[in-house]
Amino acid sequence: MYTVLVCDDDIAILNSLEIYLRNDGYNVIKAENGIEALEKIKNNTVHCCIMDIMMPGMDGLNATIRLREKNNIPIILLSAKSEDTDKIAGLSFGADDYVTKPFNALELLARVKSQIRRYTMLGSMEHRDGEITTGGLTINTLTKEVFVDGEAVKLTATEFGILQHLMENMGRVLSAEQIYEAVWNEECFASDKTVTVHIRRIREKIEINPKEPKYLKVVWGIGYKVEKI
């Protein structure tokens, strides 16, 4: 049984999400602010976190930043704001997905399932040695590790999934929609900005100079590719 932590200061939303998730077979832990969420994640095994942005004490964005310092569990942010700038901010801070209130409970459950599947199963595709390498960049699909010039680089499950998919299609240009559908394993119902923000975060971690990338390149107007070196 997988465990989902739900963090929201609206008790009605908190309780309704608990019912939906438990009916779908998940164990549920509840928190009413970011501080409480971080404490419960510290003391429990959590496989996915649904985090509201606007909360007293510590909001969801700051909680996401704190959580990402030591943990790469999937984070789905909830917010009443629908502007692209808010979505980009949430993803930039380390979230894996973003859902706008009011939301469809079935869609949210589908996103939870997708995030947990990627988090727990990423790297199940076998290679002869489990490694894919280009230049000084290496990923291990069995251990889910990433190395740049021999130094370990920490990626979230979503970031690893994107990088793995690009490296498995090395030299091929993939559109944001193709990447989303392959990594999220669902039809692309998010804007391509979701993929764009994750690509930027990956670049910041694996490139010496993200503005002049050696590995992860953009082909303007078409998509992204990992260069064969």
Side-chain angles (χ1 to χ4, degrees):
M1 180 181 289
Y2 296 119
T3 298
V4 178
L5 182 138
V6 182
C7 183
D8 199 310
D9 62 324
D10 187 322
I11 303 302
I13 291 177
L14 205 61
N15 290 337
S16 64
L17 283 176
E18 179 182 24
I19 293 171
Y20 280 113
L21 288 162
R22 288 194 184 280
N23 286 342
D24 214 36
Y26 296 104
N27 181 39
V28 178
I29 298 174
K30 297 188 292 184
E32 296 180 23
N33 59 63
I35 296 173
E36 186 180 353
L38 291 173
E39 189 65 25
K40 292 193 174 181
I41 289 172
K42 179 181 177 181
N43 296 317
N44 295 276
T45 299
V46 176
H47 302 93
C48 184
C49 178
I50 301 173
M51 182 91 67
D52 186 34
I53 290 182
M54 301 300 293
M55 294 183 294
M58 179 185 288
D59 64 26
L61 294 180
N62 282 298
T64 296
I65 294 171
R66 291 279 301 277
L67 181 57
R68 278 291 173 257
E69 292 174 358
K70 296 182 179 179
N71 202 307
N72 69 338
I73 64 170
I75 301 173
I76 301 173
L77 291 178
L78 300 178
S79 177
K81 297 181 179 180
S82 60
E83 291 83 358
D84 283 342
T85 53
D86 296 305
K87 297 179 182 179
I88 292 171
L91 295 170
S92 297
F93 288 149
D96 295 279
D97 208 346
Y98 188 109
V99 176
T100 303
K101 296 178 180 178
F103 52 84
N104 182 298
L106 294 179
E107 178 184 322
L108 181 58
L109 288 174
R111 291 177 184 241
V112 169
K113 184 177 294 184
S114 176
Q115 291 292 340
I116 291 178
R117 179 171 57 245
R118 182 163 61 257
Y119 178 62
T120 57
M121 298 300 291
L122 218 51
S124 62
M125 183 175 292
E126 294 185 2
H127 297 266
R128 281 178 293 179
D129 56 3
E131 293 186 350
I132 309 175
T133 299
T134 178
L137 173 63
T138 298
I139 70 168
N140 189 306
T141 61
L142 303 179
T143 63
K144 307 175 191 176
E145 294 175 303
V146 179
F147 298 92
V148 177
D149 297 328
E151 295 291 327
V153 176
K154 186 175 181 180
L155 301 184
T156 67
T158 302
E159 292 165 357
F160 186 92
I162 291 172
L163 184 58
Q164 177 178 333
H165 185 62
L166 286 167
M167 291 187 73
E168 287 172 342
N169 292 275
M170 201 177 301
R172 178 185 172 193
V173 180
L174 301 177
S175 69
E177 291 77 12
Q178 287 174 314
I179 294 171
Y180 187 94
E181 291 176 4
V183 175
W184 273 255
N185 196 27
E186 60 189 25
E187 186 176 350
C188 184
F189 47 66
S191 72
D192 60 4
K193 288 184 175 63
T194 300
V195 173
T196 300
V197 173
H198 284 298
I199 291 287
R200 187 175 70 222
R201 281 166 41 194
I202 296 169
R203 273 181 166 174
E204 290 171 352
K205 295 179 181 181
I206 69 172
E207 302 285 359
I208 294 175
N209 182 0
K211 293 183 178 179
E212 297 181 7
K214 177 180 180 181
Y215 302 111
L216 211 174
K217 305 224 173 159
V218 59
V219 181
W220 296 108
I222 303 176
Y224 307 93
K225 70 173 180 176
V226 166
E227 200 77 88
K228 289 182 179 180
I229 299 174

